[in-house]
Amino acid sequence: MASVQVSMDVPLETVWQVCTDIEHCAEYIESIVGVDIVAGKGGELQVGGARMEGGGEGGGGGGGKGVFAEGLTWDETRVMFGSQAKERMWVESVQEKKCYVVGAESCGAKYETQFEFEQVSATETHVRCSFDAKALTCCAWFMNLIMAPLMASAMKKALVKDLQDIEKEAKRRMKDK
């Protein structure tokens, strides 16, 4: 498991909006090169550029294709270790402005990334991001045994970089208000 925490000089509301703006995250998280929303809340199929109907409390900053809630599913293309990889991801759970968990499965493993938010003051927010992988196959278990120590450091660096990109975008949005 890799886990990092950063302190952002941005109010919780703005940090939450940026972190849950899945539809636009490729515009400000450097390692993400593409996002395609494929299903919304409750698993409704998302077709092309069609706007999701329905609402509810999601808090997502996108206001476009997907409402940030359990069941939101997207394909994310990201550069990792110098190569592009596309993974299907989904929101597993949400506690509004407190935490959310994103899941994915690939190469015989189940991945979970958890984001936790703590408002320290009116203008400061702590964000903790944790990444965990659980082997679902014997081959993945064996690879995890060998690779986990090497991957932990790289994952921490990637998580910190993503959070730095998120903070930069949150500060930009604060200036635009």
Side-chain angles (χ1 to χ4, degrees):
M1 177 195 270
S3 185
V4 298
Q5 180 171 314
V6 299
S7 179
M8 298 185 185
D9 293 325
V10 183
L12 173 62
E13 179 73 29
T14 305
V15 173
W16 180 262
Q17 287 174 354
V18 173
C19 284
T20 59
D21 188 2
I22 303 301
E23 183 179 357
H24 297 104
C25 67
E27 297 169 15
Y28 51 85
I29 297 178
E30 187 178 334
S31 62
I32 298 176
V33 296
V35 170
D36 183 31
I37 305 292
V38 295
K41 183 178 178 183
E44 299 115 353
L45 183 60
Q46 181 65 45
V47 180
R51 186 181 178 91
M52 280 239 354
E53 294 300 322
E57 295 300 314
K65 292 183 187 178
V67 175
F68 189 82
E70 289 180 27
L72 177 66
T73 304
W74 66 96
D75 290 333
E76 178 178 295
T77 304
R78 173 184 286 265
V79 176
M80 290 290 292
F81 309 112
S83 298
Q84 285 191 9
K86 184 176 185 177
E87 301 295 340
R88 170 106 356 134
M89 306 174 88
W90 57 87
V91 177
E92 292 187 342
S93 64
V94 179
Q95 290 181 15
E96 182 82 14
K97 296 182 189 132
K98 291 182 181 174
C99 71
Y100 68 87
V101 177
V102 172
E105 287 186 20
S106 181
C107 302
K110 167 82 167 76
Y111 301 101
E112 285 188 352
T113 306
Q114 180 168 330
F115 292 83
E116 298 173 83
F117 304 86
E118 178 187 359
Q119 183 171 336
V120 179
S121 71
T123 59
E124 183 181 3
T125 305
H126 288 175
V127 181
R128 180 179 178 87
C129 185
S130 304
F131 175 85
D132 194 24
K134 292 182 175 78
L136 301 176
T137 66
C138 291
C139 184
W141 178 85
F142 183 71
M143 288 301 294
N144 186 51
L145 187 67
I146 295 169
M147 299 298 291
L150 301 172
M151 295 296 290
S153 176
M155 286 307 302
K156 283 183 180 182
K157 287 179 187 175
L159 294 174
V160 166
K161 176 64 172 110
D162 285 357
L163 291 174
Q164 289 171 340
D165 291 345
I166 288 167
E167 180 179 21
K168 183 177 176 182
E169 173 64 10
K171 286 180 175 180
R172 185 196 66 74
R173 290 185 188 188
M174 288 297 299
K175 285 181 184 177
D176 288 350
K177 282 187 177 184

